[in-house]
Amino acid sequence: MSPALPPHPFDPADWDTLRSLGHRMVDDMMGHLEKIGDQPVWSPVPADVVARLSQPLPEKGVGAEQAYATFLRDVFPYPVGNIHPRFWGWVNGSGTPLGALAEMLAATMNPNVAGHQGSPRHVEDQVLVWLAELLGYPREASGLLVSGGSMANFVGLAAALVDRAGFDLPGQGMISAPKRPVLYASTETHFSVDRALRLLGVGDAGHRRIPVTDRFQIDLAALRATIAADRNAGHHPVAVVGNAGTVGTGAFDDLDALATLAADEGLWFHVDGAFGAFAAVDPGLAPLVRGMERADSLAFDLHKWMVVPIEAGAVFVRNGESHRRAFRVAGDYVTSMEGGIGVDVTAFAERGVQLTRGFRALKVWMSLLAHGAEAYRSLIRGNVKLARHLDLVVSGHPSLELLTPTVLNVVCFRYRPEGVPEPDLDDLNRRILVRLHEEGIAAPSYTTLGGRYALRVCITNHRSTTADLDALVVAVTRLGTALVA
Ligand SMILES: *Cc1c(COP(=O)(O)O)cnc(C)c1O
């Protein structure tokens, strides 16, 4: 008999006390979300709170009760705003109450989903098949849940390079490339693609930024000409990136034409569908993503339009062998066992960068299981309807100007009253946006279109209503009028 060890404080001496604290946490979570619309969208973190959050690590802990009280005072009241019904900045999802609870459950099980045997790997497998079905992508594709779209783009492009480099890239490294590898994407492409290409050794010099048409779609003639010029110059064209929903305006490249072009040129076809890929779930919107199903790899987010709590994204690679070749390495500590927990122990870890991987599949799985595909279809459809509503209101308003055609869920416009000269409009709209945030009214972000500053509303929010968008329009014109006067 070994002597009884003193209990470590990480497990409570009195489970009932921590249990009741946990119950209070859940009550506070639900209370917060239930009333979120009554709060300002955003308010700045007060200086005294920042000061308290800058204190040194305590040698002796304050205890769970006091730590939670500090959270309630200094952390909970000052979020970034994206769970609020009038947040439409950048591309952020609203999260869900069930998703928050699922995060607690996932942390409770705390598995490593590298591939170890247990229910979590089957949950991730199921989630990946469900997502493939939702998006109309082959369900046999090799998939992986990742932190978000940036990592998904990285993984897809890593597979592209290994598959099409024309030499043993994993073994020899980029320094052995007989020709410079070149990848193609439109100027509207998200900067996570730029970053992936830097990390993959392609660099800015191997990244061709192809101009767009007046509808912000990749210019196919320019793309073809650039590929031809690269071949003439002795470079090695590897892949083309298509956008399903650009971050600036929500534009869709002609994915079907890109798939054909890529096939003709022997290029890998990668699609960045961060939020726009989900146009596939609605028959009325699906024509926008025609050709996406032909992609060699597809990156998309779950924490944006699928409103899964941050972080969650996913990537599919059609050819599983290319996917694994990019990431598989040998190591004794990860050699699979013939039985037990360690059978196929790196099944997921050899599809991406992480070895130890969290159970992010659970929040996705529980959400899809509980709400069903139809709820997501109606979210996507409803957000697109809201965008069209805002488009109509702006178009019919004498002092507002729509700056791009509204394709999906992104509306770009500006305040433009009679009598304000063009050179002053950028600054006026910049100030309107800051006031919208600082008064806690609404949170669009901005973009620059043809040199003009635009208020940008990107709706990936299950809490927004028509009234919220009408309130934005009222506030923009009120603030604009005041600023002009
Ligand atoms: C948000 C976004 C990304 C990056 O995704 P993260 O989840 O922020 O890493 C990539 N592409 C597009 C089009 C995006 O909107």
Side-chain angles (χ1 to χ4, degrees):
M1 290 281 287
S2 54
L5 293 169
H8 192 277
F10 291 172
D11 278 337
D14 172 10
W15 283 88
D16 282 342
T17 305
L18 192 62
R19 180 177 288 123
S20 83
L21 177 62
H23 289 159
R24 255 168 47 222
M25 287 177 177
V26 171
D27 283 345
D28 293 342
M29 285 161 68
M30 295 305 132
H32 183 74
L33 293 176
E34 192 179 2
K35 297 267 157 50
I36 192 69
D38 304 340
Q39 305 293 316
V41 173
W42 179 81
S43 52
V45 187
D48 59 321
V49 173
V50 175
R52 283 198 297 272
L53 291 175
S54 315
Q55 281 171 4
L57 170 71
E59 194 56 42
K60 208 168 144 32
V62 297
E65 186 68 46
Q66 188 54 45
Y68 184 56
T70 308
F71 166 81
L72 287 180
R73 186 191 58 197
D74 291 346
V75 181
F76 211 23
Y78 309 107
V80 175
N82 53 299
I83 58 177
H84 193 282
R86 289 193 300 280
F87 188 100
W88 309 295
W90 302 275
V91 197
N92 278 289
S94 38
T96 64
L98 185 66
L101 294 174
E103 290 269 45
M104 290 177 79
L105 299 177
T108 303
M109 288 180 75
N110 193 35
N112 175 3
V113 198
H116 298 76
Q117 297 302 316
S119 59
R121 62 176 283 150
H122 301 291
V123 171
E124 182 151 345
D125 275 335
Q126 178 159 59
V127 160
L128 290 166
V129 169
W130 283 353
L131 290 171
E133 284 171 352
L134 262 180
L135 293 176
Y137 199 73
R139 44 180 289 158
E140 310 74 38
S142 172
L144 186 74
L145 294 185
V146 292
S147 52
S150 299
M151 186 53 92
N153 278 328
F154 177 83
V155 170
L157 292 171
L161 270 163
V162 165
D163 189 85
R164 300 295 156 101
F167 70 105
D168 175 20
L169 173 58
Q172 298 305 311
M174 203 54 104
I175 198 166
S176 300
K179 295 174 174 182
R180 170 183 284 290
V182 184
L183 288 86
Y184 304 83
S186 86
T187 51
E188 290 294 302
T189 303
H190 191 269
F191 75 18
S192 56
V193 167
D194 302 52
R195 188 152 52 199
L197 294 183
R198 286 186 180 184
L199 292 172
L200 291 166
V202 172
D204 296 343
H207 177 186
R208 300 283 178 267
R209 294 174 178 81
I210 307 300
V212 290
T213 65
D214 56 1
R215 301 186 71 87
F216 300 97
Q217 296 174 299
I218 193 167
D219 180 333
L220 293 164
L223 173 60
R224 268 190 218 96
T226 311
I227 295 170
D230 278 325
R231 289 202 201 281
N232 277 335
H235 301 322
H236 177 53
V238 167
V240 60
V241 176
N243 284 298
T246 59
V247 64
T249 69
F252 287 74
D253 292 332
D254 184 340
L255 301 177
D256 209 39
L258 277 182
T260 301
L261 185 151
D264 290 349
E265 296 278 356
L267 304 187
W268 181 282
F269 178 36
H270 174 80
V271 171
D272 179 359
F275 58 98
F278 289 96
V281 307
D282 180 76
L285 301 169
L288 290 169
V289 292
R290 205 162 59 85
M292 184 171 80
E293 73 289 348
R294 297 170 65 192
D296 294 296
S297 51
L298 171 61
F300 54 98
D301 270 303
L302 298 165
H303 56 209
K304 289 177 176 173
W305 224 353
M306 292 296 279
V307 300
V308 166
I310 295 167
E311 304 171 350
V315 59
F316 284 122
V317 179
R318 180 182 298 271
N319 179 339
E321 192 40 40
S322 305
H323 190 183
R324 276 184 297 281
R325 260 203 301 144
F327 291 100
R328 182 191 288 143
V329 281
D332 258 356
Y333 43 90
V334 291
T335 304
S336 291
M337 295 158 52
E338 54 285 351
I341 300 166
V343 179
D344 201 14
V345 72
T346 57
F348 287 111
E350 68 187 20
R351 298 180 203 171
V353 178
Q354 286 180 272
L355 172 55
T356 305
R357 302 176 62 251
F359 196 8
R360 54 170 61 96
L362 187 68
K363 58 192 174 184
V364 188
W365 177 82
M366 271 198 116
S367 304
L368 287 167
L369 181 65
H371 303 306
E374 186 47 39
Y376 292 91
R377 216 166 272 134
S378 97
L379 167 65
I380 307 288
R381 216 181 274 139
N383 279 183
V384 170
K385 258 188 167 161
L386 290 179
R388 288 182 185 154
H389 170 79
L390 179 61
D391 175 301
L392 280 177
V393 172
V394 165
S395 303
H397 197 292
S399 3
L400 297 176
E401 180 187 16
L402 195 70
L403 289 178
T404 52
T406 303
V407 180
L408 193 65
N409 61 334
V410 180
V411 185
C412 296
F413 69 103
R414 63 178 176 174
Y415 179 61
R416 189 193 184 183
E418 284 285 313
V420 176
E422 178 69 38
D424 296 342
L425 288 173
D426 284 2
D427 196 49
L428 176 58
N429 280 277
R430 200 175 281 125
R431 287 161 69 195
I432 290 173
L433 181 62
V434 171
R435 293 284 286 275
L436 284 170
H437 288 195
E438 291 189 346
E439 292 184 20
I441 300 167
S445 57
Y446 76 93
T447 190
T448 312
L449 297 167
R452 293 180 302 186
Y453 185 93
L455 302 172
R456 174 181 164 286
V457 169
C458 175
I459 312 173
T460 48
N461 190 327
H462 69 280
R463 300 195 169 104
S464 304
T465 63
T466 311
D468 291 315
L469 290 152
D470 291 342
L472 169 70
V473 168
V474 169
V476 167
T477 50
R478 174 178 63 76
L479 291 169
T481 310
L483 284 165
V484 169

